């Protein structure tokens, strides 16, 4: 898959102020589209939180949200 292929679509609702702020930020940086600006801000926000972008998708079990078969009966209490 090349960098231009984006098979997933995400729709969000923004207030007028949020949209104006996004557009101002985008125009100051000469971003080609709102979508490009949102992707860049998402990458920056995740990086600021120490989250690395990678090709593999995380599963709920990676975060301890649900128990996996190997977690059951290990005697540890979370």
């Amino acid at each position: 898959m090349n960098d231009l292929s984006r098979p997933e679509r995400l729709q969000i609702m923004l207030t007028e102020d949020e949209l104006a702020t996004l557009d101002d930020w985008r125009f100051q940086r000469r971003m080609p589209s709102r979508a490009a600006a949102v992707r860049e801000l998402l990458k920056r926000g995740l990086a600021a939180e120490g989250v690395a972008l990678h090709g593999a998708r995380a599963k709920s079990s990676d975060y301890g949200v649900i128990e996996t078969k190997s977690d059951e009966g290990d005697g540890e209490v979370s």
Side-chain angles (χ1 to χ4, degrees):
M1 181 165 65
N2 64 35
D3 289 340
L4 298 178
S5 177
R6 295 186 182 94
E8 299 294 329
R9 179 182 205 94
L10 175 67
Q11 294 181 328
I12 60 172
M13 302 289 289
L14 300 174
T15 65
E16 288 181 27
D17 289 341
E18 290 168 333
L19 189 58
T21 301
L22 176 66
D23 282 339
D24 290 346
W25 186 87
R26 170 189 162 210
F27 292 133
Q28 289 170 359
R29 285 153 186 83
R30 300 183 188 274
M31 304 286 299
S33 65
R34 285 177 173 163
V38 169
R39 283 192 299 273
E40 181 62 25
L41 289 168
L42 177 63
K43 288 178 193 174
R44 290 178 182 210
L46 291 171
E49 291 291 320
V51 178
L53 293 177
H54 51 79
R57 297 188 78 168
K59 299 176 184 170
S60 296
S61 60
D62 295 339
Y63 299 97
V65 175
I66 61 172
E67 286 186 6
T68 61
K69 295 287 183 190
S70 62
D71 291 338
E72 293 173 1
D74 63 5
E76 292 185 28
V77 178
S78 317

